[in-house]
Amino acid sequence: MAGPPPCPPSHPGKAAAAADPDAQEPSTVHHFPPILLQPSSQRRHNHSKSAKLLRSFRSAFRALPIIATPPGCHIPTAALSRASSSARRDGHGTRTTGTLFGHRKARITLAFQDNPRSVPLLLLQLAVPTARFMQDMGSSSLVRVALECEKKLDAGGKSCVLDEPLWAAYVNGRNVGYAARRDPTELDLGVMQLLHAVSMGAGVLPGDMTDPVDGELTYMRAYFDRVTGSKDSETFYMLNPDGNDGQELSIFFVRI
């Protein structure tokens, strides 16, 4: 006499995984709010009197002695200082929002926006772990990131330095590999949307964005003064809230 038919498994997915030991677990799914970021205006210069007065006030904090650059960085630190000082005198500056973010063990990403509610106008990934970069920010009162690329003879000299796809990267004179420009991913836009109401601050994003391998997703956001020296040089200076004499981050883009 035949016995009763076998009962179907209560969890088909788990049964299939047990039958196939090579089956992979699904990747982590992040649930972002709807993306409502505004298009970037791609603005480059602002010549208002208020901006000039603000830059003059902040220049006092940038007149500190410059840390000597160890061998490796091709651009002398004094040359960077002269170029940025000249650009500030010309008044070619504007305020942007900058965000550094990434999983602790993964590479850090730097995003610049016209304002906290806009799509990034520049998204850059550095070949340095997020935790290491944040450690440098916490242990030094002045962090300088120099990004270098070579001029191309066939480019005609018309492109902006920020349009370059790849740079050699140095942090306080230490070679950290390369920095690459890339298009925003769903994760990048989700982070920008989550932080759309934050103008300045630092912290850890919600737990469901933690990666099981790379760890928590941390961020630091602040206003930056964007100074254009020429088509071959631009600099972003992090602005400290309330003129506080704390940490400062400067990022130099130079085409040599």
Side-chain angles (χ1 to χ4, degrees):
M1 181 176 178
C7 296
S10 58
H11 300 284
K14 292 184 178 179
D20 183 4
D22 295 330
Q24 298 181 353
E25 291 292 332
S27 58
T28 303
V29 177
H30 302 300
H31 300 284
F32 297 117
I35 305 300
L36 303 175
L37 300 174
Q38 305 165 358
S40 172
S41 66
Q42 295 293 333
R43 60 182 180 177
R44 295 189 181 276
H45 305 301
N46 182 357
H47 302 282
S48 66
K49 291 183 179 180
S50 59
K52 293 180 182 179
L53 290 174
L54 186 59
R55 285 192 300 273
S56 298
F57 175 77
R58 289 194 302 265
S59 65
F61 295 101
R62 299 188 187 128
L64 300 173
I66 298 172
I67 300 174
T69 304
C73 184
H74 297 162
I75 308 172
T77 307
L80 289 175
S81 179
R82 288 195 301 269
S84 59
S85 297
S86 175
R88 290 198 298 271
R89 286 195 303 269
D90 293 340
H92 294 175
T94 187
R95 191 173 74 169
T96 61
T97 297
T99 309
L100 297 104
F101 66 96
H103 296 285
R104 291 188 183 276
K105 297 180 182 178
R107 296 178 178 180
I108 193 166
T109 297
L110 175 61
F112 284 112
Q113 303 165 272
D114 286 335
N115 59 71
R117 298 175 182 271
S118 65
V119 174
L121 57 90
L122 174 64
L123 199 66
L124 195 68
Q125 188 167 54
L126 279 69
V128 56
T130 302
R132 175 64 184 274
F133 192 90
M134 294 301 187
Q135 183 180 9
D136 288 342
M137 287 289 297
S139 61
S140 176
S141 60
L142 181 63
V143 176
R144 290 180 179 270
V145 178
L147 304 174
E148 304 175 1
C149 65
E150 295 183 356
K151 292 182 180 179
K152 298 179 179 63
L153 297 179
D154 58 349
K158 296 181 179 179
S159 65
C160 171
V161 64
L162 297 185
D163 295 332
E164 296 288 345
L166 193 67
W167 294 270
Y170 302 86
V171 177
N172 285 348
R174 184 182 75 251
N175 190 337
V176 296
Y178 290 89
R181 178 173 183 151
R182 61 180 177 82
D183 294 329
T185 64
E186 181 183 3
L187 175 63
D188 300 324
L189 295 178
V191 170
M192 297 297 102
Q193 182 62 44
L194 285 172
L195 297 177
H196 75 279
V198 178
S199 57
M200 292 185 179
V204 178
L205 291 177
D208 63 346
M209 301 188 71
T210 297
D211 186 272
V213 176
D214 294 327
E216 297 174 321
L217 185 57
T218 63
Y219 76 92
M220 183 186 73
R221 169 168 279 196
Y223 286 120
F224 282 74
D225 188 14
R226 178 182 177 181
V227 178
T228 302
S230 69
K231 67 178 184 301
D232 294 322
S233 67
E234 290 211 29
T235 307
F236 291 81
Y237 297 99
M238 188 177 75
L239 307 181
N240 298 312
D242 303 324
N244 197 359
D245 219 2
Q247 302 168 347
E248 183 170 340
L249 170 65
S250 300
I251 303 173
F252 300 87
F253 293 83
V254 183
R255 189 159 46 193
I256 57 176

